[in-house]
Amino acid sequence: MGRTLFIDPGRCIGCQACVAGCRECDSHRGKSMIHLDYLEEGISAASMPTVCMHCEDPVAPCAQVCPAEAILVTPDGVVHDADKSRCIGCGNCVSACPMGVPKIDLAAKLQFKCNLCYDRTSAGLAPMCATVCPTGALFYGTMDELLADRPNVAVANTFDFDGTIVTTGVAVIVPRDRGDLPVPGGCGHEQPNVLGEPL
């Protein structure tokens, strides 16, 4: 695991700074590619930022089902958002993603999702969400850098979706005594996957 995004739900306060920062990023044209799931809305502030997890095994299910071959996976493991000149807005990527990340804008007939701020990360900068997070719930760096900053944490990048194991390029911070068990998958599917007016 090289330089990547680490999500620490224990630090997330649900402030939406990541959502606003993502929306303001030059390449996102006013749309946020990250959303927050409030785990016990109205009861606690527990929340979980949801970004593309950049699936490594299997490699990018969203890209595998794209009939227009619009979703590029670069050698560094970043799963890009759909190429706007190729995307036909069919929604196959939405159905294939185990994390519920891609969205379809029906008005534009285009898919959009987090691409790890590739315009920034390919230039050595952190994704916008990580730069604006006031609590460090979104940490961008290497595993060594994370452990230097937080020596008592453990991370997981395998998820179990009813027996289907998915390994990702983005990781979540888990309790240190949790062991190497995959994280139960499925959080985040409450968000609408289609935005805009129906055609």
Side-chain angles (χ1 to χ4, degrees):
M1 180 177 293
R3 187 171 297 275
T4 191
L5 195 62
F6 295 91
I7 302 169
D8 188 345
R11 289 182 173 226
C12 183
I13 58 174
C15 68
Q16 302 249 354
C18 55
V19 174
C22 183
R23 191 173 34 243
E24 296 301 317
C25 198
D26 287 343
S27 62
H28 298 164
R29 301 181 203 112
K31 285 188 176 164
S32 178
M33 308 294 160
I34 185 171
H35 60 262
L36 289 177
D37 294 304
Y38 293 94
L39 306 179
E40 297 175 307
E41 195 164 0
I43 298 172
S44 81
S47 47
M48 175 73 175
T50 300
V51 299
C52 177
M53 298 299 285
H54 301 276
C55 296
E56 292 180 341
D57 185 19
V59 174
C62 59
Q64 291 181 29
V65 299
C66 179
E69 298 182 353
I71 301 172
L72 174 69
V73 182
T74 46
D76 53 7
V78 173
V79 181
H80 289 261
D81 54 330
D83 180 332
K84 305 302 182 243
S85 68
R86 299 182 70 108
C87 180
I88 57 175
C90 66
N92 284 359
C93 54
V94 172
S95 300
C97 177
M99 309 290 181
V101 169
K103 307 295 181 213
I104 296 293
D105 183 329
L106 286 179
K109 299 181 186 173
L110 293 172
Q111 174 255 38
F112 62 94
K113 71 167 204 62
C114 161
N115 67 356
L116 207 60
C117 282
Y118 201 68
D119 55 332
R120 295 176 55 85
T121 54
S122 63
L125 300 173
M128 187 62 83
C129 59
T131 64
V132 300
C133 180
T135 63
L138 296 165
F139 180 95
Y140 183 73
T142 65
M143 187 68 189
D144 288 343
E145 290 167 343
L146 176 70
L147 290 175
D149 187 64
R150 304 170 196 181
N152 295 317
V153 300
V155 302
N157 70 334
T158 57
F159 299 86
D160 184 347
F161 293 90
D162 294 328
T164 300
I165 303 299
V166 176
T167 303
T168 62
V170 170
V172 294
I173 294 174
V174 296
R176 189 172 183 82
D177 59 353
R178 187 174 186 285
D180 293 332
L181 294 173
V183 175
C187 182
H189 289 281
E190 301 82 15
Q191 296 289 327
N193 290 328
V194 176
L195 300 178
E197 295 298 318
L199 299 175

